[in-house]
Amino acid sequence: MRIAMIGAGYVGLVSGACFSDFGHQVVCIDNDEAKIAALKSGQMPIHEPGLAELVANNVSQERLAFDVDLKRAVANADVVFVAVGTPSRRGDGHADLSYVYAAARAIGGAIAKFTVVVTKSTVPVGTGDEVERIIREENPDAEFAVVSNPEFLREGAAIRDFKHPDRIVIGTNDARARNVITEVYRPLHLNAPPILYTDRRTAELTKYAANSFLATKIAFINEIADLAEKVGANVQEVARGIGFDNRIGQKFLHAGPGFGGSCFPKDTLALIKTGQDNEAPLRIVETVVAVNDQRKRAMARKVAHAFGGNGNLRGKRIAVLGLTFKPNTDDMRDAPSIPLITALQDMGAQIRVFDPIGMPQARKVLEDVTFCRSAYDCARSAHAIVIVTEWEQFRALDLKELSAIMATSVIVDLRNIYSPEEVTRHGFHYCGVGRPMPLAY
Ligand code: NAD
């Protein structure tokens, strides 16, 4: 199959590289010339484990190429995937579909034979209809079908997720398009992932329902964590206790600083807007968003509590470990670290930060912070460490060394990666999430 992938970001680049690895002929198109130039010279625009090797291998075998010339790639393609961004629209939270529609217009102008156009971007219900209308308007004689094929990969484990998906969702009523897209995914059939063939609108809604449900699980366990702190219970054990129930499952039940990242915040908001526009308000998701927003400042108050709770952190140096929204990515989009740091600064704290991979991205979004070379450099002379992202390398820090170099020995562990007993044994005041709070420092 000849595939044109429009948008060479997290989803487009990973999907394009994986499709080429299956043996398809793939051209990844992006209108960011610098990105394409970097990719052509072998530099990855994102950090994703295994991606550089996968790309290099398929480029060298001439199955994968990068270009800015959408027209040529689309004219030659059997299948065109749209994987451009759908961020929140400024002001109202609706998904900003301008990139999708611009791509649709350009595709319309380039189609030269029967072409299957597939939206991989996360788009609200009905977007496929509009994409179809735009292509038809641009090119009334074009032979094409528009399919919805939402992507469920997780950053940090994207290649594995793409090659071993829990399921593939294909939304189309067009038999010819269904055969083509089935052929695209045929190399995965050995692993026999469930494939849900459905209509386009159902596929579009499925993606938003999945992300909103996962966000709901996170918000739910975070509220249970707050209650656990008040009543002297342990949220981690509650999560295990409920997670062993197959109907509930263990995943997405880790209490923490609230969800962030490139998908959950914008997708929950967009689903809420779709619900409101269709007079079917999604009150649960609305509450999830409100609960999650409030949590960011609540985490800053938790840090203040570790110092006695008056909300004044003037003169305190706080070492923030982990900045990206989760480990194994350099993605800083809507990372919980950003509002947390702002709130700590509002309380008067001086902020030192370290992230194993995310520093270049973090430099673009964080102001008035000291960027450090390592976790230990960050902790030096700090009054407290706040663990925000659970990178592996933070799991076994040398507590003895830390307590020797810090001004005061306080750890606020927003990911519960340490055992309170172990940390307090080293003379630290420890504060986790959803576990009984130790006495004030
Ligand atoms: P991204 O911002 O990393 O990449 C989008 C790319 O599209 C950018 O490189 C941009 O330059 C390019 N682009 C925009 N308009 C273009 C055009 N007209 N022609 C060519 N290129 C164009 O975004 P992403 O994180 O890869 O997300 C893409 C979509 O996939 C979004 O809808 C997102 O919700 C969805 N998604 C993302 C993830 C994830 O983990 N990041 C997972 C599942 C689904």
Side-chain angles (χ1 to χ4, degrees), residues 213-376:
F213 190 80
L214 293 172
T216 302
K217 270 186 112 172
I218 295 173
F220 175 82
I221 202 67
N222 282 340
E223 287 205 313
I224 294 292
D226 291 346
L227 179 60
E229 280 174 16
K230 296 280 191 251
V231 299
N234 183 327
V235 73
Q236 278 182 306
E237 287 168 21
V238 173
R240 278 166 64 77
I242 62 173
F244 282 124
D245 184 330
N246 285 333
R247 294 168 301 177
I248 296 174
Q250 298 278 356
K251 293 189 178 155
F252 282 76
L253 288 179
H254 299 287
F259 60 77
S262 61
C263 292
F264 287 3
K266 77 173 178 65
D267 291 348
T268 45
L269 278 182
L271 184 64
I272 289 169
K273 288 292 164 193
T274 303
Q276 288 168 353
D277 288 352
N278 288 280
E279 294 176 19
L282 295 155
R283 295 203 184 84
I284 292 172
V285 186
E286 287 172 7
T287 305
V288 163
V289 169
V291 164
N292 196 61
D293 284 348
Q294 285 157 14
R295 191 157 188 84
K296 308 289 163 58
R297 290 224 154 229
M299 291 300 103
R301 286 197 297 277
K302 183 184 270 296
V303 177
H305 271 291
F307 289 102
N310 65 4
N312 181 359
L313 292 175
R314 215 153 292 286
K316 300 284 189 234
R317 287 180 293 276
I318 309 283
V320 174
L321 297 186
L323 300 170
T324 54
F325 81 96
K326 64 165 157 173
N328 300 322
T329 181
D330 62 347
D331 201 338
M332 285 293 296
R333 287 179 283 184
D334 266 322
S337 63
I338 302 169
L340 171 69
I341 287 171
T342 308
L344 292 172
Q345 287 171 326
D346 288 348
M347 292 178 185
Q350 294 165 30
I351 305 295
R352 300 167 66 76
V353 299
F354 173 70
D355 187 279
I357 296 288
M359 299 289 261
Q361 296 302 324
R363 282 179 196 276
K364 297 178 191 168
V365 290
L366 296 179
E367 287 176 7
D368 298 326
V369 305
T370 305
F371 291 94
C372 302
R373 293 185 311 277
S374 69
Y376 297 96

Side-chain angles (χ1 to χ4, degrees), residues 80-97:
V80 178
F81 282 90
V82 177
V84 300
T86 50
S88 273
R89 194 162 70 187
R90 245 172 213 280
D92 66 4
H94 270 292
D96 176 353
L97 295 172

Side-chain angles (χ1 to χ4, degrees), residues 7 9-11 30-31 35 84 86 122 151 155 262 266 333:
Y10 282 82
V11 166
D30 207 289
N31 56 8
K35 189 177 271 190
V84 300
T86 50
T122 302
E151 183 50 56
E155 288 176 22
S262 61
K266 77 173 178 65
R333 287 179 283 184

Side-chain angles (χ1 to χ4, degrees), residues 97-120:
L97 295 172
S98 56
Y99 302 101
V100 173
Y101 294 155
R105 209 160 282 290
I107 292 165
I111 286 178
K113 55 181 166 54
F114 176 70
T115 307
V116 178
V117 179
V118 187
T119 34
K120 217 170 219 333

